[in-house]
């Protein structure tokens, strides 16, 4: 098969692993920078030009679209779909997953456990917002934040009011969430491929850090999910329409709580923690569908 990986950096670990896994299974693979694709839209003959050459004979694409290029990257994925090419992440699912508020609404509709969350249109009644999530401590997240950036733990009511008012003053949209103390600064990342958990790890924030992101200095270890956690992760990916997804969860006294569903999950941390060949699972997913 001819497989295209949509990635801005061919040297990234995840991109390299996907190239390696595809070649091992006898496929031809090429990395394309989605921002260098020109889309030609016409009746019955949508096409893509890359570096001046028309793209033909593509069987599948693996989108590795960064958050900063979601708009154009999604347009490229959509164009491949119009050309009848299989994609491991559909364009609509990609758009849905990048909108944190919409994602939470979709997950809520699927009756999945979530931390209590409040979103307002720059409400001046900050005290009421804090009250809705059960008071301080609480978490404040920028809607556009990634990899733990734009996430604040407000430990007191005064601190929460100050931070929310500051973001409101900057017209930066935020969501306010309850703080799950029993999670102890840790979360779970489950990697879903084609409706199955192919790997899971527990990420623990460094001492004094409530964010567990590996990019923020957190550590990862392999974990065996409970039935509830596995079912929640699979259901979350399915509700978002994602064939490949990283589902982040908190362990709480009321069961697993979904934090986020990532449409371009990194492979380095989870492959290192679990020792599993996640890239191979993604290539096999393509083989089953093309």
């Amino acid at each position: 098969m001819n497989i295209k990986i949509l990635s801005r950096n061919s040297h990234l670990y995840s991109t390299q692993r996907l190239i390696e896994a595809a070649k091992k299974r006898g496929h031809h693979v090429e990395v394309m920078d989605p921002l260098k694709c020109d889309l030609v839209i016409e009746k019955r003959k949508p096409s893509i030009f890359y570096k001046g050459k028309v793209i033909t004979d593509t069987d599948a694409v693996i989108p590795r679209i960064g958050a900063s290029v979601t708009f154009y990257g999604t347009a490229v994925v959509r164009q491949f779909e119009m050309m009848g090419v299989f994609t491991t992440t559909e364009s609509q699912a990609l758009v849905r997953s990048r909108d944190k508020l919409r994602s939470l609404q979709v997950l809520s509709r699927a009756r999945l456990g979530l931390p209590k969350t409040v979103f307002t249109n720059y409400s001046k009644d900050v005290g009421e917002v804090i009250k809705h999530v059960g008071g301080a401590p609480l978490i404040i997240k920028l809607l556009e934040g990634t990899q733990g950036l734009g996430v604040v733990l407000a430990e007191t009511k005064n601190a929460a009011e100050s931070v929310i008012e500051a973001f409101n003053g900057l017209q930066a949209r935020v969501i306010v969430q309850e703080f799950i103390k029993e999670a102890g600064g840790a979360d779970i990342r489950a990697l879903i491929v084609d409706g199955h958990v192919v790997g899971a790890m527990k990420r623990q924030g460094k001492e004094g850090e409530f964010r567990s992101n590996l990019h923020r200095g957190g550590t990862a270890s392999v974990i065996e999910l409970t039935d509830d956690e596995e079912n929640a992760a699979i259901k979350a990916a399915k509700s978002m329409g994602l064939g490949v997804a990283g589902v982040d969860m908190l362990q709480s006294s009321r069961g697993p709580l979904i934090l986020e569903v990532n449409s371009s999950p990194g492979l380095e941390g989870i492959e290192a923690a679990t020792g599993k060949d996640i890239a191979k699972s993604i290539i096999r997913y393509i083989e089953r569908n093309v």
Side-chain angles (χ1 to χ4, degrees), residues 10 18 23 38 55 62 145 149 159 186-187 189-190 226:
S10 61
L18 289 164
K23 285 182 175 177
D38 297 326
I55 299 299
I62 304 173
L149 296 171
D187 72 4
R189 160 66 63 90
T226 65

Side-chain angles (χ1 to χ4, degrees), residues 111-116 178 180-183 186-188 226-233 248-259:
R111 299 182 182 276
L112 284 155
L114 302 165
K116 193 168 184 181
E178 67 173 314
I180 308 300
K181 186 178 180 181
E182 61 266 31
D187 72 4
I188 293 170
T226 65
D227 287 347
D228 283 349
E229 289 164 351
E230 185 171 341
N231 291 336
D248 296 340
M249 300 178 283
L250 291 177
Q251 293 175 308
S252 81
S253 55
R254 59 181 192 265
L257 303 178
I258 308 294
L259 281 177

Side-chain angles (χ1 to χ4, degrees), residues 28-44:
H28 179 267
V29 61
E30 180 186 359
V31 178
M32 291 172 55
D33 181 345
L35 298 192
K36 292 180 180 174
C37 293
D38 297 326
L39 313 181
V40 180
I41 303 164
E42 60 180 319
K43 185 179 180 181
R44 295 182 182 171

